[in-house]
Each structure stands twice: as structure tokens, then as C-alpha cells.
Amino acid sequence: MAFALPAGDLVIAQQAAKPADDEFAIRGQREAGTIKYGDWEKLCFKPGGAKMICRTTIAGHFDSGQIAVRVYIVEREDQSTARLQIFLPVGLYMPAGAKLTVDKGKAHKIPFTWCLTNTCIAGDIASPNLLGEMESGANLVIEVVDTNMLAVTTSLPLNQFAASRKGAPTKIFAQSIDE
């Protein structure tokens, strides 16, 4: 038995089934494996006579010791904007980017900017709203989509973030250049 649809109905059916170019269908959700997070710390770099660059960072490791997630807030001494970088394992669905949510609040989408052989990096300007939420929040949830189209989430602590970001650096790496 064959079915015949008018040409107009076939086009409408195909359009309804196809997501828009920037949309994708997630097939489910799963928690990332066991990830143990260290403490937030602020590391600063002072190269020669240049302005200081500081990184407020936290890293999470799998039980095997492999780094699972690393988050950087990068700030330059003479600039008012900060940059957010998230280092994640390879094997993710790149168009989805990374979605950040502080304490079940508003989601912030961070696009992937590049991948290396062992990590992919999502990065963008860290908006003042996001930084404020992180400073007053308890948990930051990072959600990515894997190549099986499953949303993968991990939650990292924010209890030390504000003190680390606004406090003195844990370590300063200085480089002097003799001329």
C-alpha cells in the first residue's frame, strides 16, 4: 500500500521535522563521571615591563588523575573586561557550546572557540552579570552535549570564588628582562 501526499504537505512535514540551523535535539541527559574539584586559586603573571595578567582558576579531575574540567577567569591589570575559558575533554558536540548556570538561575551560553588533540576550549567575555552570579552563588553547573547527543553536566563549587578573585594572588610568576 502506498501513501500519496500533496506536494505542499510533504514540504510542510519535512520542515516541521528539521530543526533550525542553530538548534539540535538532545536525546537525554547524564551526569559526568566522578569529578573531584580542587580549590579556587588566583595565579598572576608579570612578564617584564608589561601589565600583570591574573587567572582565577579551578580544576576538576577524574579518579584516574586526568583533568576533566578547568575553568579560568582571565583579567588584565589595565582592562575592565574579563575573559572566561573552560577547558573540557574532546568528543563533544561543538555547535552546542557550553551552558553555564549558577544556582539554577539564568543560563549563559559560551561557544567553543577551538580544540586541540586533548582538550576543547569554550571561551567568551565574562559578563559582569555572570561574574556577579558566580561571586554570590554556591554552585556552577556546566552542561555540554556529547557526540551521542546527550547533555552531560557537572557541578563545581563557588564558595571560594569571590575571595579568590578579589583577594591577593596565590602566586605571582614574574619575569625580568635584562637589556
Coordinates of all heavy atoms in Angstrom, one line a residue, residues 75-82 126 128 131 165:
E75 N 42.0 38.1 33.7 CA 41.8 39.5 33.8 C 43.2 40.2 33.7 O 44.2 39.8 34.2 CB 41.2 39.9 35.2 CG 39.8 39.3 35.3 CD 39.2 39.5 36.7 OE1 39.5 38.7 37.6 OE2 38.4 40.5 36.8
R76 N 43.2 41.3 32.9 CA 44.4 42.1 32.7 C 44.4 43.3 33.6 O 43.3 43.9 33.8 CB 44.6 42.5 31.2 CG 44.7 41.3 30.3 CD 44.9 41.8 28.9 NE 44.9 40.6 28.0 CZ 46.0 39.9 27.7 NH1 47.2 40.3 28.2 NH2 46.0 38.9 26.9
E77 N 45.5 43.7 34.1 CA 45.7 44.8 35.0 C 45.0 46.1 34.5 O 44.4 46.8 35.3 CB 47.1 45.0 35.3 CG 47.4 46.0 36.4 CD 48.9 46.0 36.7 OE1 49.8 45.4 36.0 OE2 49.3 46.7 37.7
D78 N 45.1 46.4 33.3 CA 44.6 47.7 32.8 C 43.3 47.6 32.0 O 42.9 48.5 31.3 CB 45.7 48.3 31.9 CG 46.0 47.4 30.7 OD1 45.6 46.2 30.7 OD2 46.7 47.9 29.7
Q79 N 42.6 46.5 32.1 CA 41.3 46.3 31.4 C 40.2 46.0 32.3 O 40.4 45.3 33.3 CB 41.4 45.2 30.3 CG 42.4 45.5 29.2 CD 42.5 44.4 28.2 OE1 41.8 43.4 28.3 NE2 43.3 44.7 27.2
S80 N 39.0 46.5 32.0 CA 37.8 46.3 32.9 C 37.1 45.0 32.5 O 36.2 44.6 33.3 CB 36.9 47.5 32.8 OG 36.4 47.6 31.5
T81 N 37.3 44.4 31.4 CA 36.6 43.2 31.0 C 37.5 41.9 31.4 O 38.7 42.0 31.4 CB 36.4 43.1 29.5 OG1 37.6 43.2 28.8 CG2 35.5 44.2 29.0
A82 N 36.7 40.9 31.7 CA 37.4 39.6 32.0 C 37.0 38.6 30.9 O 36.0 38.7 30.3 CB 36.9 39.1 33.3
A126 N 33.5 37.4 29.9 CA 32.7 37.0 31.1 C 31.9 38.3 31.5 O 32.5 39.3 31.9 CB 33.6 36.6 32.3
P128 N 29.6 41.0 33.4 CA 29.5 41.4 34.8 C 28.4 40.6 35.5 O 28.5 40.3 36.7 CB 29.3 42.9 34.7 CG 29.8 43.3 33.4 CD 29.6 42.1 32.5
L131 N 29.7 37.1 36.3 CA 30.7 37.2 37.4 C 30.1 37.5 38.8 O 30.4 36.9 39.8 CB 31.8 38.2 37.1 CG 32.7 37.9 35.9 CD1 33.6 39.1 35.6 CD2 33.5 36.7 36.2
R165 N 39.1 35.5 43.7 CA 39.1 36.5 42.6 C 39.5 37.9 43.1 O 40.3 38.6 42.5 CB 37.8 36.6 41.9 CG 37.8 37.6 40.7 CD 36.5 37.5 39.9 NE 36.6 38.5 38.9 CZ 35.7 39.5 38.8 NH1 34.7 39.6 39.6 NH2 35.8 40.4 37.8

